[in-house]
Amino acid sequence: MSFRFFAFVRQRAGLIAGLALMVFGFVDPAGAQGADTLTLSLGEAARMAAENTLDVKAAAYRVDQRIARFDQARAGLYPRVSAEIGETARTFNTASFGLSFPSVADQPPLFDPDGEVHGPVYLLDVRARLQADLINVARWRRIEEANTGIETARSAAALVAEESAVRAAVVYVAAAEAVALRRARETDRANAEEGLHVARRQLEAGVALALDVTRAEVRLATVNAQLVAAANNERQTRLDLQRALGLPAEATFAFRLTENAMAALPADTVAGFDTALARRADLAAARQHETAINASIASIKAERYPSLRVVADEGLIGLRPAALLNTYDLGISLVVPVFDGFNVRHRIEEQQAALREAQTNREELQDAIRFALRKAQFTVANAEDQLMAAQIRLNLAEQEIHQAQRQFETGIASNADLIAASLGLGDARTQLVAAQTNLETAHLRLAVIQGTLTDLP
């Protein structure tokens, strides 16, 4: 099934952009923007949030931690060298040696058979020790596992950045809607003021009643109250957006709606799903999680392999510095694991079960993306139809208020019809703003599902 939305948008991109600029007024007039005012599109806001927010920076620090852990694991490949210098004074009991020294006939024994204390003996010992693994497969596997941990942390950081971008984009659309609603209410106020002027002129000319003026004043007061509420809502949503973008509270910015917002969105379900497979941060994190589990399994299995180690110890020892003698130890050892109580086996089984769970979760996520993609494309098409319907209603409401105004000015009718038409026009503007917001939200959702939010212009 082809989705007519994509062809429709591409054929009528200029019309849609024109409507958005007319209704939303996203770009402030040049004279209203200061030198330090940021002008942000939806894609620019998403990219800013993906780089500047504090949670993104915290995720980057977690990557640094993983890199440090990798360096710690790799340090085990280098020889361990230590040096020591010390002086000791020791007394000892001759009986503690466990040796008997035969005595010569008619001579006293060399040492008292029950033991005797000698010393203290002062010794100076200067020594260096080297220890290195010649073969240690388990250590290499742990290094590979640590390196996989870096990639896992980077995938998690990318997911955090994507989530920050999504949050900022949602708030961006809400803030842009608040701006559009405030400007719609300003237009309503201008119309209400004009209606009040007309009612007063008609009253002065004797072709209208005081009730008509009162009605116009009530309408103006109502619109003013709506404008106050809309302006407050705009201030609140702007602050929310500044927070979502990581901007200071005193920052100023304007909104910009681009005409080619759909340029980064594939036009069919298959292409959209392929894009999601390649671009979704959560899918990448799920795949990296499986890779990390496989690395952990390989590291555990490597504990069954033999390891070969060399140890060298050399130093000088003696009673005084001038009488030091060289001594050394040199050895090589082969350690062969024989039986560990099935510890390695059960740890591997645990990780294999975790791997199967991770694979199932990834497959479930992919299925969810397929269905969400189709729903989002239907939603976009429906939002486009709603926008066209809202524009038609706005056109009719404008015609109605013009006709009601002419009838009131000519004295054919009271301004009750004009007030009713004014209310209908305000509702039509609100509906058009809501329809444009729904379309932008549908664009946003489709881009999020495909993982191309930060590609939007």
Side-chain angles (χ1 to χ4, degrees):
M1 174 180 179
S2 62
F3 294 91
R4 57 194 177 93
F5 162 75
F6 298 98
F8 186 86
V9 170
R10 291 188 176 98
Q11 293 171 2
R12 297 167 174 79
L15 173 62
I16 294 174
L19 290 175
L21 292 176
M22 178 186 69
V23 179
F24 274 62
F26 279 172
V27 182
D28 292 335
Q33 295 186 29
D36 298 329
T37 299
L38 291 174
T39 303
L40 296 175
S41 67
L42 178 61
E44 289 167 344
R47 287 187 288 275
M48 179 180 292
E51 296 174 359
N52 294 337
T53 55
L54 293 178
D55 51 352
V56 172
K57 295 178 181 178
Y61 295 143
R62 289 193 287 272
V63 174
D64 294 339
Q65 295 174 30
R66 286 290 186 173
I67 293 174
R69 291 182 187 179
F70 170 76
D71 292 337
Q72 294 172 29
R74 190 173 56 179
L77 295 177
Y78 301 106
R80 275 78 70 198
V81 180
S82 61
E84 181 180 357
I85 181 170
E87 184 176 8
T88 61
R90 181 181 179 186
T91 60
F92 54 90
N93 185 349
T94 57
S96 64
F97 293 148
L99 300 175
S100 60
F101 297 91
S103 59
V104 182
D106 300 328
Q107 295 292 329
L110 181 61
F111 298 116
D112 186 345
D114 294 329
E116 57 186 77
V117 175
H118 284 262
V121 177
Y122 294 93
L123 289 177
L124 179 63
D125 193 349
V126 181
R127 191 159 303 280
R129 180 179 178 85
L130 179 144
Q131 179 176 320
D133 291 329
L134 299 180
I135 300 175
N136 193 328
V137 179
R139 188 177 296 279
W140 278 103
R141 293 300 187 188
R142 283 192 292 271
I143 293 173
E144 293 175 359
E145 183 180 8
N147 186 51
T148 304
I150 296 176
E151 298 304 319
T152 300
R154 286 174 177 162
S155 297
L159 182 56
V160 170
E162 185 178 83
E163 292 171 348
S164 295
V166 172
R167 287 195 298 269
V170 170
V171 179
Y172 179 95
V173 172
E177 180 184 22
V179 172
L181 287 173
R182 187 260 300 169
R183 292 180 177 175
R185 298 293 80 82
E186 288 177 345
T187 303
D188 290 343
R189 181 177 65 178
N191 292 338
E193 290 174 345
E194 178 63 23
L196 179 58
H197 294 326
V198 172
R200 287 172 176 171
R201 288 197 304 267
Q202 295 295 88
L203 179 63
E204 293 174 357
V207 295
L209 302 174
L211 178 60
D212 295 326
V213 175
T214 302
R215 287 171 177 167
E217 290 174 342
V218 171
R219 173 59 180 160
L220 179 58
T222 302
V223 171
N224 281 330
Q226 293 173 346
L227 178 58
V228 170
N232 179 66
N233 184 51
E234 178 188 350
R235 287 191 292 269
Q236 296 292 335
T237 55
R238 279 181 176 271
L239 287 174
D240 291 340
L241 182 57
Q242 288 169 228
R243 171 66 174 166
L245 296 177
L247 294 175
E250 62 274 9
T252 58
F253 55 88
F255 301 91
R256 181 176 73 251
L257 181 68
T258 57
E259 296 185 13
N260 57 341
M262 296 301 296
L265 303 180
D268 59 77
T269 305
V270 175
F273 182 68
D274 292 340
T275 301
L277 289 179
R279 298 297 304 276
R280 286 277 294 244
D282 50 357
L283 273 177
R287 289 191 292 267
Q288 183 58 38
H289 182 49
E290 296 176 28
T291 302
I293 295 176
N294 281 319
S296 178
I297 292 174
S299 177
I300 296 172
K301 288 181 177 180
E303 295 178 12
R304 293 170 171 171
Y305 301 151
S307 60
L308 187 63
R309 174 177 300 176
V310 62
V311 177
D313 184 306
E314 184 172 6
L316 299 172
I317 188 171
L319 298 177
R320 57 186 182 277
L324 297 179
L325 298 177
N326 175 257
T327 62
Y328 69 87
D329 290 327
L330 180 62
I332 186 169
S333 61
L334 177 67
V335 179
V336 181
V338 177
F339 181 71
D340 64 353
F342 303 109
N343 178 267
V344 169
R345 171 183 171 182
H346 296 318
R347 287 162 58 199
I348 291 174
E349 291 174 349
E350 178 188 7
Q351 292 301 311
Q352 288 174 338
L355 178 60
R356 290 190 293 270
E357 178 187 7
Q359 292 170 340
T360 301
N361 291 338
R362 175 179 51 80
E363 292 170 358
E364 170 61 25
L365 178 58
Q366 292 178 179
D367 286 342
I369 290 173
R370 287 191 183 93
F371 285 96
L373 181 61
R374 293 184 66 86
K375 289 176 64 177
Q377 289 173 328
F378 289 140
T379 302
V380 168
N382 180 261
E384 183 61 29
D385 291 339
Q386 289 180 1
L387 179 60
M388 293 298 102
Q391 179 58 40
I392 293 173
R393 180 186 176 187
L394 178 63
N395 293 337
L396 294 174
E398 290 174 344
Q399 294 177 20
E400 180 183 5
I401 196 169
H402 291 156
Q403 294 170 359
Q405 186 174 0
R406 285 196 301 269
Q407 290 180 354
F408 178 58
E409 291 175 347
T410 57
I412 298 177
S414 69
N415 71 340
D417 292 336
L418 181 59
I419 297 297
S422 176
L423 291 171
L425 181 59
D427 291 342
R429 289 195 182 102
T430 301
Q431 185 181 27
L432 186 59
V433 171
Q436 179 63 36
T437 301
N438 289 338
L439 181 58
E440 289 301 304
T441 302
H443 289 173
L444 167 62
R445 178 167 178 76
L446 186 58
V448 169
I449 293 172
Q450 294 174 351
T452 57
L453 175 60
T454 53
D455 291 342
L456 294 178

